[in-house]
Amino acid sequence: MNRLGSSTSPYLRQHADNPVDWWEWSDEAFASARERDVPILLSVGYAACHWYRAHNASIVSGYLENQRLAEAESAPERFFMNVTLARVLYTHALVAAPRLALGRFAALGRILGDPRLGMAAVFLSLGRVLPDRYPLDNQVEAYIGDEHRFGRLIDYAVILPRLQRLYEWSADELGEPRLRGLIRDGSPIYVWHFEQRQVWRSAHLSVIGQMIRLLTEAR
């Protein structure tokens, strides 16, 4: 353990076990460097999980506070609201709960979910989720059939099988217990009737999608 173990900052204490002789910013740190004649590596600090927590907490708050407005939208709009929320929560889990997000491939979670590296856009890009034209005037099933193949793999092969646990984890992680009320038996129910849960079933999943689902199964 380095010197960050006794820090009063929760963020700094996360790095107490790093194999680096980290010091907090202090006159003592600079004096020691001068005495030993060694360079100083200055880190401005960054933690993707903290960024996601702040970001997603505001998004979830917006969803909950505007639920009545959302109820007035068309079925396709309400469907994609749920898809987008699931994507946002899942990307957070990639960096903060990678075993939940990717199962045996958990080691890839922080790389795929780090917003600085650009890979997070694969999961957050609405171009892979939302239709090209508005207003949405078709049936939900038609939009599902038109979803990009890669987008469908993400939604139905990777995210959907762990959706119940994802919402429960997110409720605890974000300190927002009302999130648990937006999922039921693995089906999103934000302004969506549970009786219409068939849209979340993955009977149309390809063989490749079924393989990915098995390989990334949460453990």
Side-chain angles (χ1 to χ4, degrees), residues 161-182:
R162 51 183 43 84
L163 210 53
Q164 183 73 36
R165 283 168 292 176
L166 176 63
Y167 273 63
E168 292 170 354
W169 171 83
S170 297
D172 294 336
E173 176 72 6
L174 301 177
E176 181 48 85
R178 290 179 295 173
L179 252 179
R180 295 175 181 271
L182 305 186

Side-chain angles (χ1 to χ4, degrees), residues 90-199:
Y90 177 77
T91 310
H92 181 188
L94 281 172
V95 298
R99 188 166 295 279
L100 167 63
L102 288 173
R104 71 185 69 188
F105 298 104
L108 299 175
R110 289 184 173 85
I111 297 174
L112 295 175
D114 193 327
R116 298 173 300 174
L117 304 180
M119 293 297 293
V122 172
F123 303 95
L124 293 175
S125 174
L126 298 184
R128 297 185 181 277
V129 179
L130 301 177
D132 295 330
R133 294 187 298 275
Y134 281 87
L136 304 182
D137 55 3
N138 217 330
Q139 297 296 317
V140 170
E141 289 77 8
Y143 290 116
I144 294 175
D146 290 340
E147 185 178 16
H148 302 165
R149 289 184 180 180
F150 188 66
R152 184 180 302 176
L153 287 176
I154 291 175
D155 292 328
Y156 287 90
V158 180
I159 299 178
L160 186 62
R162 51 183 43 84
L163 210 53
Q164 183 73 36
R165 283 168 292 176
L166 176 63
Y167 273 63
E168 292 170 354
W169 171 83
S170 297
D172 294 336
E173 176 72 6
L174 301 177
E176 181 48 85
R178 290 179 295 173
L179 252 179
R180 295 175 181 271
L182 305 186
I183 188 83
R184 180 178 171 187
D185 294 340
S187 297
I189 55 172
Y190 177 75
V191 296
W192 191 266
H193 296 297
F194 180 68
E195 292 72 20
Q196 297 175 309
R197 61 188 179 281
Q198 74 279 358
V199 298

